[in-house]
Amino acid sequence: MPISGFPEVLPAQRFAELAVLDRLRTTFELHGFAPLETPAVESLDQLTRKGEIEKEVYVLRRLHADAGDDGNVELGLHFDLTVPFARFVLENAGRLEFPFRRYQIQKVWRGERPQQGRYREFTQADIDVIARDTLPFHHDVEVARVMAEALSTLDFLPPLRLQVNNRKLIQGFYTGLGAPDVAAVMREIDKLDKVPAEVVHRALIGTAGLTSEQADQCLALAQVSSADTSFVPAVEALGVKHELLAEGLAELAAVIEGCAGITGVTVEADLRIARGLDYYTGTVFETRMQGYESLGSVCSGGRYDSLASDGKVTYPGVGISLGVTRLLMPLFQRGELSTSRSVPSAVLVALPNEDDRAACDAIAQQLRARGIATEVAATPQKFGKQIRYAERRGIPFVWFPGDTHEVKDIRSGDQAVADPAVWTPPTEDLHPQVVFTEDIP
RNA sequence: GUGGGUGUAGCUCAGCUGGUAGAGCGCUGCGUUGUGGUCGCAGAUGUCGCGGGUUCGAGUCCCGUCACUCACCCCA
């Protein structure tokens, strides 16, 4: 049994995961994002630079470390890809062309207690755009759009909703309303997922120091959501006025408009999204998967104006991070996502006799040369056994060598004469196909 | 870190107030002597998580421990 929180991915599942990674990569690169890989290990200084001691970091240590030579450089495994990226940007600022756009798909580690959808080792796929001094707002739109497009290529997943909000908008709203502690209001509003509105209402009065009317207003704002820009008049109707609010509204509207026309993924403004107390300063993202709401967000991010700074120059950025493991493992566990077969082979060449192995290998080579994944039967068992071997693994075709070759589609039972120099399986059988099975009775 | 739940065959689980360990699925073989799936017949597999205690006797009761799992916290 694998160690809890360190998922083990079986072949059929791994095919699905690789398909996801391929599509993400393709989309990211189509939009000009450059690949980057940073080390799994960073100095503890770097990892905790933002004072985020909250995150449980796995530290790295040699089993046989010399007692005397304690080399007091403390190392840890990275817990996300944004912090290492910020370090990378600062170190390479002189060599980079800004705005710098990169994608990064890597494992990260967090020493938390694992549970459904929460792992200690998992894969994240991040895209970020970072600039020197100032980063034009249209990159917020770009990042949202690229991730939404990437997600829409994952057509075998349950429906996804990319929910967008803007910290300026809610901050401006709460400030314009006269809230004494804006951060406290956000913290309480963030609990609306799990706590009934009445409880949040009481907390807004008790903990965040609002009047009952102000609390009503905050809850009213949190209820606003729309997949188009109709949220703008809805917010304005609440009657609160503030410069930041107006700015945030305009930005959020721009993101929603910029994502218009994307199909397969719902992109909507949802004014309850707050993203805790992170480094986000404007646009914020969260993503939920239908039927898997309890997982929380599977893809989050936002605008951070001051994540990276060397004291003189500040590098503002905007990014979004997809939790590939969180997205896929729960689907695997419920048996809703799998692959048409557990091996790459599209063809099994039957082996009549051990003496025929060389001839069978030659047939396999002919097929492989044309891109058809092929294996030769391991032992010259009865053909019934060899067919069953293929069936168990989901291999769709069994090849019978002879004076006239024959190939059998073991799903239909159809068998026909074939020439290894020209025969090709249907395109959909060439590679394992990712399949989403609605639900199992 | 805090608080619940669960550990029995490869998998899903049953096993009552203690009395020598079970089902379904899967697996292997045969029927079907070189073309699978259906069907029939036969067969194999367990340190009952681990350690201790109570008892004539513990899968069952008690204590400890480990693992898994769920919730809180936090988040992908």
Side-chain angles (χ1 to χ4, degrees):
Chain A
M1 181 172 286
I3 307 295
S4 171
F6 293 83
E8 191 150 68
V9 184
L10 273 41
Q13 306 174 344
R14 181 62 173 157
F15 275 127
E17 185 175 34
L18 288 173
V20 167
L21 298 180
D22 280 350
R23 294 181 196 198
L24 293 175
R25 177 187 164 189
T26 299
T27 308
F28 297 161
E29 292 186 358
L30 267 177
H31 287 268
F33 284 69
L36 175 70
E37 180 165 275
T38 61
V41 174
E42 299 273 344
S43 79
L44 234 39
D45 285 356
Q46 287 292 345
L47 290 175
T48 58
R49 197 162 42 86
K50 291 299 277 185
E52 300 195 39
I53 314 157
E54 295 289 319
K55 296 261 189 357
E56 277 289 348
V57 176
Y58 278 113
V59 297
L60 194 71
R61 194 184 66 194
R62 285 199 304 141
L63 186 57
H64 297 296
D66 300 327
D69 178 29
D70 60 343
N72 42 14
V73 184
E74 300 249 28
L75 302 176
L77 295 171
H78 57 205
F79 52 81
D80 72 7
L81 300 175
T82 310
V83 170
F85 178 53
R87 189 224 81 224
F88 170 86
V89 168
L90 288 178
E91 284 180 6
N92 296 280
R95 284 181 286 250
L96 296 176
E97 298 296 332
F98 291 104
F100 179 61
R101 302 185 302 158
R102 77 91 175 82
Y103 75 90
Q104 203 170 337
I105 302 176
Q106 288 183 242
K107 290 272 179 70
V108 304
W109 293 267
R110 292 183 195 174
E112 296 170 349
R113 196 88 122 217
Q115 51 186 266
Q116 185 66 225
R118 180 188 203 173
Y119 304 90
R120 299 200 275 202
E121 174 180 58
F122 57 98
T123 301
Q124 283 191 318
D126 280 35
I127 54 173
D128 287 87
V129 183
I130 198 155
R132 197 197 307 262
D133 298 323
T134 58
L135 176 70
F137 171 76
H138 65 79
H139 290 293
D140 290 39
V141 181
E142 176 182 31
V143 157
R145 189 168 179 99
V146 172
M147 187 57 87
E149 275 185 29
L151 292 173
S152 73
T153 67
L154 310 179
D155 48 11
F156 39 72
L157 298 181
L160 294 167
R161 310 169 79 80
L162 176 56
Q163 304 170 305
V164 192
N165 197 2
N166 192 293
R167 294 283 285 255
K168 292 177 191 169
L169 190 162
I170 47 180
Q171 264 171 12
F173 186 90
Y174 300 153
T175 308
L177 201 59
D181 184 349
V182 170
V185 177
M186 275 195 240
R187 235 175 293 132
E188 297 305 328
I189 292 291
D190 200 40
K191 294 177 184 167
L192 274 173
D193 278 348
K194 299 183 176 178
V195 182
E198 311 89 71
V199 178
V200 172
H201 189 272
R202 276 199 293 279
L204 284 171
I205 296 168
T207 312
L210 299 189
T211 67
S212 182
E213 291 72 24
Q214 289 172 325
D216 287 341
Q217 289 275 72
C218 291
L219 287 173
L221 180 74
Q223 273 165 7
V224 174
S225 76
S226 69
D228 53 28
T229 53
S230 64
F231 71 90
V232 176
V235 171
E236 286 167 349
L238 295 173
V240 177
K241 294 221 183 307
H242 192 273
E243 195 181 336
L244 261 184
L245 169 59
E247 198 180 325
L249 262 181
E251 288 190 359
L252 184 52
V255 172
I256 298 303
E257 277 179 335
C259 291
I262 288 181
T263 55
V265 173
T266 306
V267 181
E268 62 184 15
D270 189 320
L271 303 212
R272 82 163 57 170
I273 305 301
R275 299 260 68 222
L277 283 178
D278 286 315
Y279 34 69
Y280 298 112
T281 51
T283 305
V284 288
F285 304 107
E286 288 194 2
T287 309
R288 266 151 247 279
M289 182 158 57
Q290 195 179 97
Y292 292 81
E293 286 77 8
S294 64
L295 291 179
S297 178
V298 295
C299 180
S300 313
R303 173 79 173 216
Y304 42 89
D305 277 325
S306 53
L307 179 72
S309 172
D310 59 10
K312 280 175 282 192
V313 185
T314 297
Y315 299 87
V318 58
I320 184 163
S321 172
L322 173 65
V324 176
T325 308
R326 170 173 286 183
L327 192 68
L328 297 180
M329 289 302 291
L331 288 163
F332 295 154
Q333 273 159 12
R334 282 206 218 164
E336 292 194 323
L337 189 68
S338 192
T339 313
S340 53
R341 56 185 190 254
S342 60
V343 294
S345 311
V347 179
L348 174 76
V349 179
L351 182 65
N353 194 293
E354 194 54 45
D355 297 339
D356 300 317
R357 185 171 293 282
C360 291
D361 281 337
I363 295 164
Q365 275 308 108
Q366 275 185 283
L367 295 173
R368 290 172 190 144
R370 293 186 293 109
I372 304 164
T374 306
E375 61 183 279
V376 177
T379 55
Q381 290 175 297
K382 290 195 281 191
F383 283 161
K385 292 276 179 57
Q386 298 195 33
I387 291 170
R388 196 164 65 169
Y389 172 99
E391 188 198 9
R392 294 272 167 78
R393 290 162 178 74
I395 301 173
F397 296 96
V398 175
W399 191 282
F400 296 101
D403 294 335
T404 57
H405 298 280
E406 291 192 7
V407 65
K408 179 190 188 79
D409 181 335
I410 64 174
R411 295 160 300 187
S412 62
D414 296 343
Q415 185 165 335
V417 174
D419 179 352
V422 297
W423 178 85
T424 301
T427 314
E428 63 270 23
D429 289 331
L430 208 45
H431 302 289
Q433 296 293 305
V434 180
V435 288
F436 178 69
T437 49
E438 198 61 50
D439 36 12
I440 295 172

